[in-house]
Amino acid sequence: MCRVVDLRQAVLAKNDVAAQVLRTELTARGTTVVNLLSSPGSGKTALLERELLLARERGVAVAALTADLATENDAVRLARSGVPVKQVLTDGLCHLEAAMLGRHLDGWLPEDTRLLFVENVGNLVCPAGYDLGESLRVVLASVTEGEDKPLKYPTAFGLAQLVVVTKTDIAGAVEFDEAAFRANVEQVNPGVEVVLTSARAGDGLGVLLDRALAAGSGAGTHTPVMARQQHGHGHGHGHGHGHEHEHEHEHEHGHDHGHDEGGHDHEHEHPHVHTVAQTR
């Protein structure tokens, strides 16, 4: 068991090093990375499409990279905004990692990009422990997912620097309890900002863009208590090694057991990952 834990920590430590290198390189060229995490069906693609359109209207040089296990559906949707978009197919891997992201940005990301939105693979387990070199980590949850979502996924919400609630236009229909949700967020991540949005109605549109631009301009970002506890100090970016599932083991033969919201499909680590990159 100790060997399994040691290997797990080694993988995460290696990722942290790669993330810091990537963060330093992108910051030097004036690019801010925003890491978007959520469950499948949260509405983050719809909201991101609106934010990309708004960024373009404001003259902000922005790009988006979206990761999925299969299909290019999200990239097709985001490309309608007219900004550079790239699709990464992970072929079953349940999260992005810093080195993987760096490889896909190399030779693709326009030099003048001010903001890069990374739409992570849709789940709140695997991606939560991997820093991507982001300057802003955002966790999204729709009103349909229940007020206890932050308590069920404390690492994802506990390391967020911004929490975004989506689909608020149907909050009444699903009897969403905003006060209870905010209380649960506060329990796992005291002081983090919670933003209410509706891509359909336009409510809260532009707040995500504003927060991303602020992070890129050097404005202070929220430092989660969980991040301080895990690292002994705040870094101004979300990354941590907490895990909701103790049974995710790293073995010497290089296989990673990917878990997507409670699923148990055994996936291969990236020597076996096939990626499809498309710029539109």
Side-chain angles (χ1 to χ4, degrees), residues 65-263:
L65 181 146
T66 181
D68 282 300
L69 277 67
T71 83
E72 298 183 6
N73 295 347
D74 287 351
V76 171
R77 292 175 59 186
L78 294 178
R80 296 185 303 204
S81 66
V83 309
V85 174
K86 187 173 189 177
Q87 176 76 58
V88 173
L89 298 184
T90 67
D91 195 23
L93 192 65
C94 62
H95 61 273
L96 286 174
E97 297 182 12
M100 185 192 310
L101 176 61
R103 288 195 298 271
H104 284 287
L105 297 183
D106 187 30
W108 168 73
L109 187 67
E111 286 293 330
D112 65 343
T113 303
R114 186 174 174 187
L115 293 178
L116 170 64
F117 287 95
V118 177
E119 187 178 16
N120 218 315
V121 179
N123 78 82
L124 289 174
V125 181
C126 305
Y130 289 86
D131 181 8
L132 297 183
E134 68 262 21
S135 295
L136 184 65
R137 174 176 288 210
V138 183
V139 173
L140 302 91
S142 72
V143 298
T144 62
E145 295 178 62
E147 296 81 5
D148 60 347
K149 201 75 170 185
L151 303 182
K152 289 183 175 180
Y153 300 92
T155 300
F157 283 88
L159 289 172
Q161 294 169 294
L162 179 67
V163 174
V164 175
V165 179
T166 61
K167 305 183 183 181
T168 57
D169 54 301
I170 59 171
V174 298
E175 300 182 346
F176 176 68
D177 188 336
E178 180 187 338
F181 180 85
R182 287 182 178 273
N184 291 333
V185 170
E186 185 70 13
Q187 183 174 330
V188 299
N189 193 345
V192 69
E193 182 182 9
V194 177
V195 177
L196 305 181
T197 68
S198 168
R200 177 178 295 177
D203 298 335
L205 184 63
V207 177
L208 176 58
L209 177 60
D210 289 340
R211 298 299 182 270
L213 289 170
S217 66
T221 54
H222 173 69
T223 302
V225 173
M226 184 178 293
R228 294 198 297 267
Q229 291 172 340
Q230 291 175 349
H231 298 275
H233 50 84
H235 289 284
H237 57 272
H239 69 266
H241 297 162
H243 308 285
E244 272 77 42
H245 46 289
E246 294 294 337
H247 50 280
E248 184 181 53
H249 301 326
E250 297 290 340
H251 300 284
E252 294 187 62
H253 49 67
H255 292 107
D256 175 57
H257 303 298
H259 304 286
D260 187 351
E261 299 289 333

Side-chain angles (χ1 to χ4, degrees), residues 27-50:
T27 299
R29 57 182 274 181
T31 301
T32 299
V33 177
V34 181
N35 186 6
L36 303 175
L37 293 81
S38 79
S39 301
S42 68
K44 69 177 178 295
T45 304
L47 179 62
L48 180 55
E49 183 180 359
R50 295 291 303 273

